[in-house]
Every structure is written in structure tokens, then in C-alpha cells.
Amino acid sequence: MKKMRIMLMVAVLTITSFTFQFLSLNVPEAHAFSQQTIQRGATGSDVIELQARLQYNGYYHGTIDGVYGWSTYWAVRNFQNMFGLEEVDGLVGQKTKDMLVNSTKFYKDFVYEQINKGRRFTHYGGVPLSIQSAPSEQQIQKARQAAEQRKQQQEKNYKAQGNQQQQTQQNKQQEQKNQQQQNQQQQEQQNQEQQNQQQQQEQQNQEQQNQQQQQEQQNQEQQNQQQQQEQQNQEQQNQQQQQEQQNQEQQNQQQQQEQQNQEQQNQQQQQEQQNQEQQNQQQQQEQQNQEQQNQQQQQEQQNQEQQNQQQQQEQQNQEQQNQQQQQEQQNQEQQNQQQQQEQQNQEQQNQQQQQEQQNQEQQNQQQQQEQQNQEQQNQQQQQEQQNQEQQNQQQQQEQQNQEQQNQQQQQEQQNQEQQNQQQQQEQQNQGQQNQQQEQQNQEQQNQNEQNENNQKDSTAVNIPAGFSQNDIKLMANAVYGEARGEPYIGQVAVAAVIVNRLNSSTFPNTVSGVIFEPRAFTAVADGQIWLTPNDSAKKAVLDALNGFDPTGEALYYFNPDTATSSWIWGRPQIKRIGKHIFCE
């Protein structure tokens, strides 16, 4: 029995080694593609090579433009289905790449030369490349028929090779089974002889063995019961450990939730503190405004007092004028008295005495007048001091207003920081929602791909006549790479230039030819052509294709801040839109 087991193990190891060697010899490693998985919607050099290799075998008959659309998707699925790959899903992984590299060729220099020159071309296998550059419809049909025949022959060869390998493997397995049967027969003959010799001995020992077997069966049953009990105990321990792990995970989740709640409470407390500080600052502002109002009221009272003083001063001035008039009248009387004095000397002397007394009174009045003038000067000085104090108060008021403005600016900065924190919180919430939405979208996309396994490619709605989805996608890439920072009319203008070049006899007559023309667009040179366009770029392309041209039929445009070519500066300029100048 031991020899038979050894022989079976050797046979299994031999079959496993042979199968591994067979699989390793028939699955070469691909060095042409990058390591990234290619899927529908992808663009770039990997998609160009994928389309070229699929067309080489006759699975793909569309344009080689580097955009993984529906036609490329169904070509990949047909190829995967034909070559018996495990997953027929349109995703180009390592197995699909290895099978493509093993069964096709890729003339990279020829393909990129045709793309850069904007030529129409094909990449069918078994057809000279010289007639695949700018071919006619008849040449394309002939090349396509040759590729179809090549595809059918390759499929037949692959099926025949698979059947032959399967038949060879079945023959080897049959030989191994026959050898094993012969070995088993020889072993059985030897065992039969040994059994005949041992039967006599076994008959003598049969009773003892029966007893021992009964004892062993009892022991075995006990051991089995013990093992079952141990297994049950082990399962209970495992369940307990799993339950503890689940409890620990729940505790960790609760702790994380508590931490998040604590952080939210801290943020709310900080928000409340900031709001309290804002209220305190507003109260301080109101107090300062109240003080300003009080100061203004005091100022108005001082102004009223000044006006009263001015009125008193005017009254005093009026009294002085009246006194001066009385003085003039007295002087007139003195003259009259002097004339009378000449006639009556005695009376004149008496009058002179009276005049001296009057003069003495006048001097007294003049002294009073001087005192009044001195008082007026003092009042003017006081008025100037009050005015100076008012100016100082105004300066203080301006300083307080400046401080209030600074406080308002600080308050605005704090409000801005609060808004930024709220925006960050909203962004975090939005990020979580986006992650959930992406997961839902991924699940929905997987369901849609499963539902679309038996559906055919559909055409887009509202696409202008003469343009494919790939053309619109490529134009949107160009507009986004060239003018994503421009206003919407500037994006339409860039798309209109591409349309105008398509309509011009001096440029290629295909979208890919215009865009990939050497040195035509900066986005192609620096790789920004492969960025994912937004909805604005796509809408701008559709508007331009539907006839909207804000450039006035321009064929060229440039950025005056970065352009260094004297040739472009010499073109007749039409208008400027955004940062671009558009030329004839």
C-alpha cells in the first residue's frame, strides 16, 4: 500500500510540473504596454497601441485615435471571448495584453507618424504599410477582408492547437492511468501471495485481533468523542474571540464617534467663544459710540456757550458805539461852549472846569474801554484754547474711529476664519458624501456593465452631423487643455478655430489631424491634451460645431504675454477675447 501511495504522489507531481511548464511556455510576458489596466473612457498611448493591435487581427475596424470608446470596448470583448480568457469584461489587464502581444504586431513608428501628420490610415496585418497610409475605400475593404480571413485562420489554428494540446494531455493521462493500473495489478498479486501466507497466521490471531479491534473501536469512539468535544470547545473559543473582536471593533468605533463628537463640541464651543467675543466687541463698540455721542453733545453745549459769549460781546460793542456817539455829541457841545466862552469868559472858566471833569470822565471811560478790550482778548484766547481742545478731541475721535476700523477688520478676519473653518468642515462632509457617491456610482457602473454585455453600441444624442463622439471628446480635451482658465466665450473661440481649420483647405480635414498637427497646439506638446475635460469645455465644443464663432473666422490665436514667435505677431489680428488674440 505504501508503494502505491508513493507512485500516486510521483504521478501527481509529474502531471503538475508538466502543466506548469506548458502554461509558462504558452503565456509570454508583455513588454509593450504600460502596467496600468486599460478600461473604457481611457485615452493615450496605451489605447493607441490597443486599437492598432486589435485592428491587426481584424477585431477593430474603427479609427485609431487613442480614445477607448464603445467600438474599442466590443472589439476587446470579442477578442477575450475568442481566446478563452476567464474574464470577458472589456478591461485590458495583463492576460489580455500578453495574448495581444503574442498574437499581433505593432508598428509604433508608422502609427505615430500617421497621427502626427493627421492622415487617415489603417493597421491591418498581412498588408503592406505603404498602401495603408491614406488608403482608398477599396484598399480599406481589401485590407479588412484580408484581416478577417487572417482572424478566422488564427481562430481555427488556436482551436486546433487547443484541441491537439487537450488530446495530447488526455493521451498522457491515459498512459499514466494504464501504468498505474499495471502497477496496481502487480502490487495486488504480491499482496495476494502475502495474504495467503498471512491468512493462516491471521486465522490464529483473528480472535485476538477481533478483541483488540473491539477495544480499539471503543477507544477510537472515545477519542472521536473527545476530539468532537475539543472541536466544539475550540469553535466556542473561536466564536468568543470573534465576538470579543467585534465588541472591540464596536468599542473602537464608539470611541472614534465620541472623539468626533468631542471635536464637534470643541468646535462649537470655540464658535460660541468667538460669538461671545464678537458680542463683547459689539458692546464695547456701542459704549464707544455712546461716549462719542456724549462728547458731541458736550461739544454742542460748548459751541452754544461760545455763541452766547459772542452775542454778549456784540452787545458790549454796541454799547461802546453808543458811548462813542455820546462822546461825539459832548465834543460838539464843547465846541459850542468854547464859542460861548469867548463871549463869556467867566462862564467859560466854569465851563472849563466842567470840561475837565468831563475829560476826567472820558479818561475813566477810555480806561474802562481798554479793560473791556483786554477782556475781549482774553476771551479770544480762551476761544482759541477751546478750538485747540476741540481739534484735539477731533483727533482723539479720529484715533478712536481708526481703532474701531481696526477692530472691525479684526472682526472681519475672525469671521473669514470662521467661514473658512465652516467651508473646511463642509468640504470634509462633501468629501465623505463624494466617497459614498463614488462607491454607489461604481456599484451602479458594475451593474450597468453587466446589463450591457448583450447590448450594441449606441449613438450620442444631439451630436452635429459629420462628427463622432471621439471627435467631440478630442476637441473637448483640446479646449480644456488650451483655455480652461478663459471665460466661456474664450473656450468657444478656441473650439471655433479648430472648426475653421477643418473647413480650410490649408489644414487637415479631420479633427485628430488638425489637433495633432506638429506645433499646432501647446496642449499637445506639454501633454495637457490628455486631461479630463469639464462640462464647460464640452458645451463650448457643441456650440462651436453648431455654428457659434465669436472669432470672426479666425485660423490662429496666441497669448501675447507668452508668445515669442515673430511670425504669429505678424498675422493680421481680428480681436482679443480673454488672454488670447485671434488672427486671420
Side-chain angles (χ1 to χ4, degrees):
M1 293 296 290
K2 291 183 178 178
K3 290 182 179 180
M4 289 182 65
R5 290 179 180 175
I6 293 171
M7 291 177 68
L8 288 172
M9 290 177 65
V10 170
V12 170
L13 290 173
T14 303
I15 294 171
T16 304
S17 176
F18 176 78
T19 304
F20 177 76
Q21 291 177 358
F22 175 77
L23 293 175
S24 63
L25 288 174
N26 286 276
V27 183
E29 183 180 1
H31 298 282
F33 293 96
S34 66
Q35 298 298 323
Q36 186 175 4
T37 299
I38 312 173
Q39 60 182 351
R40 185 168 62 83
T43 58
S45 58
D46 275 357
V47 181
I48 292 174
E49 181 175 354
L50 173 65
Q51 291 172 337
R53 288 185 181 276
L54 289 170
Q55 193 170 91
Y56 184 91
N57 268 358
Y59 286 91
Y60 177 68
H61 302 292
T63 303
I64 301 174
D65 54 6
V67 180
Y68 193 146
W70 280 108
S71 57
T72 307
Y73 170 80
W74 287 111
V76 170
R77 292 198 54 163
N78 292 333
F79 178 82
Q80 290 174 336
N81 184 36
M82 182 60 224
F83 283 89
L85 295 176
E86 295 178 358
E87 296 180 355
V88 181
D89 53 5
L91 296 177
V92 183
Q94 192 62 37
K95 290 182 180 180
T96 305
K97 292 178 183 177
D98 293 340
M99 189 64 72
L100 281 169
V101 172
N102 190 37
S103 61
T104 63
K105 293 182 181 180
F106 175 50
Y107 300 105
K108 180 178 180 180
D109 295 336
F110 169 77
V111 170
Y112 280 96
E113 179 183 0
Q114 304 307 312
I115 291 175
N116 291 331
K117 290 182 178 180
R119 293 177 180 172
R120 183 183 182 186
F121 70 98
T122 58
H123 189 265
Y124 290 108
V127 181
L129 296 177
S130 59
I131 66 173
Q132 297 199 67
S133 177
S136 64
E137 290 295 334
Q138 294 179 353
Q139 291 174 339
I140 292 175
Q141 291 298 328
K142 290 182 180 180
R144 181 171 180 176
Q145 291 175 0
E148 290 288 345
Q149 293 176 358
R150 182 185 181 89
K151 169 186 172 184
Q152 293 175 0
Q153 185 63 36
Q154 191 173 16
E155 290 174 353
K156 290 179 181 179
N157 294 335
Y158 178 78
K159 290 179 179 178
Q161 183 180 2
N163 294 331
Q164 184 178 1
Q165 290 175 354
Q166 186 176 4
Q167 185 65 33
T168 302
Q169 189 174 0
Q170 289 177 355
N171 293 333
K172 289 182 179 180
Q173 290 177 356
Q174 186 64 34
E175 290 178 358
Q176 290 175 357
K177 287 181 180 179
N178 293 333
Q179 184 66 32
Q180 290 175 0
Q181 288 177 358
Q182 291 177 1
N183 293 331
Q184 287 177 357
Q185 288 176 358
Q186 292 177 359
Q187 184 66 32
E188 287 175 356
Q189 289 176 358
Q190 292 176 359
N191 292 332
Q192 185 65 36
E193 291 176 358
Q194 290 176 359
Q195 288 176 0
N196 292 330
Q197 292 175 0
Q198 291 176 358
Q199 279 177 358
Q200 295 177 358
Q201 183 66 30
E202 289 177 353
Q203 288 176 359
Q204 294 175 358
N205 298 326
Q206 185 66 38
E207 294 178 357
Q208 295 177 357
Q209 288 178 358
N210 291 331
Q211 294 176 356
Q212 289 177 357
Q213 286 177 357
Q214 290 177 358
Q215 184 64 32
E216 287 176 357
Q217 287 177 357
Q218 292 177 355
N219 294 331
Q220 185 66 33
E221 289 176 357
Q222 292 177 357
Q223 290 178 358
N224 291 332
Q225 291 177 355
Q226 290 177 355
Q227 288 177 356
Q228 290 177 357
Q229 185 64 32
E230 290 176 356
Q231 288 177 355
Q232 291 177 355
N233 294 332
Q234 184 65 31
E235 290 177 355
Q236 290 178 356
Q237 290 178 358
N238 293 332
Q239 290 177 355
Q240 289 177 355
Q241 290 178 356
Q242 291 177 357
Q243 184 64 31
E244 290 176 356
Q245 290 177 355
Q246 291 177 355
N247 293 332
Q248 184 64 31
E249 291 177 355
Q250 290 177 356
Q251 290 177 358
N252 293 332
Q253 291 177 355
Q254 289 177 355
Q255 289 177 356
Q256 291 177 357
Q257 184 65 31
E258 291 176 356
Q259 289 178 357
Q260 291 177 356
N261 294 332
Q262 185 64 32
E263 290 177 357
Q264 291 177 356
Q265 290 178 358
N266 293 332
Q267 290 178 355
Q268 290 177 355
Q269 289 177 356
Q270 291 177 357
Q271 182 68 28
E272 291 176 356
Q273 289 177 357
Q274 290 176 354
N275 293 331
Q276 185 63 34
E277 291 177 357
Q278 290 176 0
Q279 291 177 358
N280 294 332
Q281 290 177 355
Q282 289 177 355
Q283 290 177 355
Q284 292 177 358
Q285 182 67 29
E286 291 175 356
Q287 291 177 356
Q288 290 176 356
N289 293 331
Q290 185 64 34
E291 291 177 356
Q292 289 177 0
Q293 291 177 358
N294 295 331
Q295 289 177 356
Q296 289 177 355
Q297 290 178 356
Q298 291 177 359
Q299 182 66 31
E300 290 176 356
Q301 290 177 357
Q302 290 176 356
N303 292 332
Q304 185 65 34
E305 291 176 356
Q306 288 176 2
Q307 290 177 358
N308 295 331
Q309 289 177 356
Q310 287 177 357
Q311 289 177 358
Q312 292 177 358
Q313 182 66 31
E314 289 176 356
Q315 290 177 358
Q316 290 177 358
N317 292 331
Q318 184 66 33
E319 290 177 356
Q320 289 177 359
Q321 290 177 359
N322 295 329
Q323 290 176 356
Q324 287 177 357
Q325 289 176 358
Q326 290 176 359
Q327 183 66 33
E328 289 175 357
Q329 290 175 359
Q330 289 176 358
N331 291 330
Q332 184 65 37
E333 290 176 356
Q334 287 177 1
Q335 290 177 359
N336 294 327
Q337 288 175 359
Q338 285 177 358
Q339 290 175 359
Q340 292 175 1
Q341 184 66 30
E342 290 176 356
Q343 295 175 1
Q344 294 177 357
N345 291 329
Q346 186 62 38
E347 291 179 357
Q348 188 176 9
Q349 291 177 353
N350 295 329
Q351 288 176 357
Q352 285 178 355
Q353 290 177 355
Q354 292 176 357
Q355 182 66 31
E356 290 175 356
Q357 291 177 357
Q358 290 175 356
N359 290 332
Q360 184 66 36
E361 291 177 357
Q362 288 178 358
Q363 289 177 358
N364 293 331
Q365 290 178 354
Q366 288 178 355
Q367 290 177 356
Q368 290 177 358
Q369 182 66 32
E370 289 176 356
Q371 289 178 357
Q372 290 177 355
N373 292 331
Q374 185 64 33
E375 289 177 356
Q376 290 177 358
Q377 289 178 358
N378 294 331
Q379 289 177 356
Q380 289 177 355
Q381 290 177 356
Q382 289 177 358
Q383 182 66 30
E384 289 176 356
Q385 289 177 357
Q386 290 176 355
N387 292 331
Q388 184 64 33
E389 290 177 356
Q390 290 177 359
Q391 291 177 357
N392 293 332
Q393 289 177 355
Q394 289 178 355
Q395 290 177 355
Q396 291 177 357
Q397 182 66 28
E398 290 176 356
Q399 290 177 356
Q400 290 177 355
N401 292 332
Q402 185 64 33
E403 290 177 356
Q404 290 176 1
Q405 291 177 357
N406 293 332
Q407 289 177 356
Q408 290 177 354
Q409 290 177 355
Q410 292 176 356
Q411 182 65 29
E412 290 175 356
Q413 290 177 356
Q414 290 177 354
N415 293 332
Q416 185 65 32
E417 291 176 357
Q418 291 176 1
Q419 292 177 356
N420 292 334
Q421 290 177 356
Q422 291 177 355
Q423 290 177 355
Q424 290 176 357
Q425 184 66 27
E426 291 175 356
Q427 289 176 356
Q428 291 176 356
N429 296 332
Q430 186 65 32
Q432 293 176 356
Q433 293 177 356
N434 290 335
Q435 289 179 356
Q436 294 176 355
Q437 185 64 32
E438 288 177 357
Q439 291 177 356
Q440 293 177 356
N441 292 335
Q442 186 63 32
E443 293 175 357
Q444 185 65 31
Q445 185 177 2
N446 293 333
Q447 292 178 357
N448 291 334
E449 289 179 353
Q450 291 177 358
N451 293 331
E452 290 173 355
N453 283 336
N454 297 321
Q455 293 180 354
K456 294 183 178 179
D457 187 16
S458 60
T459 58
V461 181
N462 296 330
I463 297 177
F467 296 94
S468 65
Q469 282 184 326
N470 293 336
D471 292 338
I472 295 174
K473 175 70 166 56
L474 191 56
M475 288 181 67
N477 283 6
V479 171
Y480 186 73
E482 289 280 325
R484 62 180 176 275
E486 294 295 304
Y488 178 72
I489 191 171
Q491 298 179 16
V492 178
V494 172
V497 169
I498 298 174
V499 176
N500 293 336
R501 291 188 181 184
L502 284 171
N503 297 329
S504 174
S505 61
T506 58
F507 292 93
N509 59 357
T510 63
V511 173
S512 60
V514 170
I515 292 176
F516 290 107
E517 187 177 16
R519 297 185 299 277
F521 293 95
T522 306
V524 176
D526 59 17
Q528 297 188 53
I529 186 71
W530 303 119
L531 295 175
T532 302
N534 56 15
D535 294 337
S536 178
K538 297 176 182 177
K539 186 175 183 297
V541 169
L542 292 176
D543 285 345
L545 291 175
N546 287 319
F548 181 27
D549 183 5
T551 68
E553 299 182 354
L555 294 175
Y556 301 93
Y557 66 90
F558 66 96
N559 188 338
D561 297 333
T562 59
T564 58
S565 173
S566 58
W567 178 85
I568 192 64
W569 280 99
R571 302 294 303 178
Q573 298 181 5
I574 300 175
K575 63 172 65 175
R576 177 167 182 161
I577 302 175
K579 294 182 180 179
H580 291 149
I581 295 177
F582 292 83
C583 311
E584 296 180 359

